[in-house]
Amino acid sequence: PVLLEWIGLITQTSPNPGQDLRHVLLLLALTTPIFALALRYISRKLDEIEIPTLRALGLAVPSSILYTPLMLTLVNDVAHHAFVFGERWFLLFTVIVASQTLAALYAFLIYSPRERGPVGLESGLGTSLFLLSIAIPISLALLGVDALIRIF
């Protein structure tokens, strides 16, 4: 349902755009700080780079936008035993494309003072895949919260 809300907002076919926009903003507000902390952690471990908090929040927004709806949909399907590869192959392909896109983004937006330039594709891919792995427990936590109090 979350992915459909996001697609409905993008294509302007949502029957309740105000409510869907509130859901999207709530998800971004909940997930972006977690992705920012994970980004700061992995940049410190991979490249020994200390990213300032505000910059990390800005860099975490694309991960939050791309990974949150995709992983929420996948984890929801798996949790409810409704995952059918024939119906979700495109979603899995989209996760791969999103991770590669974010790898290129982080490869050139994270600056290494030691090397006096961008960190490069290897570190960008490591960062992107780490954030993808963080998206799974975030999605599980959001589904748990949604089971207790309906937020979606």
Side-chain angles (χ1 to χ4, degrees), residues 70-88:
L70 298 174
M71 293 311 294
L72 268 173
T73 303
L74 284 174
V75 169
N76 187 36
D77 284 354
V78 171
H80 292 103
H81 303 288
F83 182 82
V84 177
F85 183 74
E87 296 173 4
R88 294 295 189 203

Side-chain angles (χ1 to χ4, degrees), residues 117-133:
V119 293
L121 285 174
E122 186 176 314
S123 293
L125 183 60
T127 303
S128 174
L129 292 178
F130 181 75
L131 293 177
L132 177 61
S133 68

Side-chain angles (χ1 to χ4, degrees), residues 43-57:
S43 66
R44 204 173 316 124
K45 290 292 182 184
L46 276 180
D47 300 310
E48 299 173 356
I49 298 171
E50 191 66 37
I51 299 177
T53 304
L54 288 177
R55 180 164 166 81
L57 278 169

Side-chain angles (χ1 to χ4, degrees), residues 38 67 69:
Y67 285 151

Side-chain angles (χ1 to χ4, degrees), residues 3 7 66 69-75 77 83 85 87-98:
L3 187 58
I7 292 171
L66 290 175
L70 298 174
M71 293 311 294
L72 268 173
T73 303
L74 284 174
V75 169
D77 284 354
F83 182 82
F85 183 74
E87 296 173 4
R88 294 295 189 203
W89 68 268
F90 192 74
L91 187 60
L92 291 173
F93 175 73
T94 306
V95 169
I96 293 169
V97 170

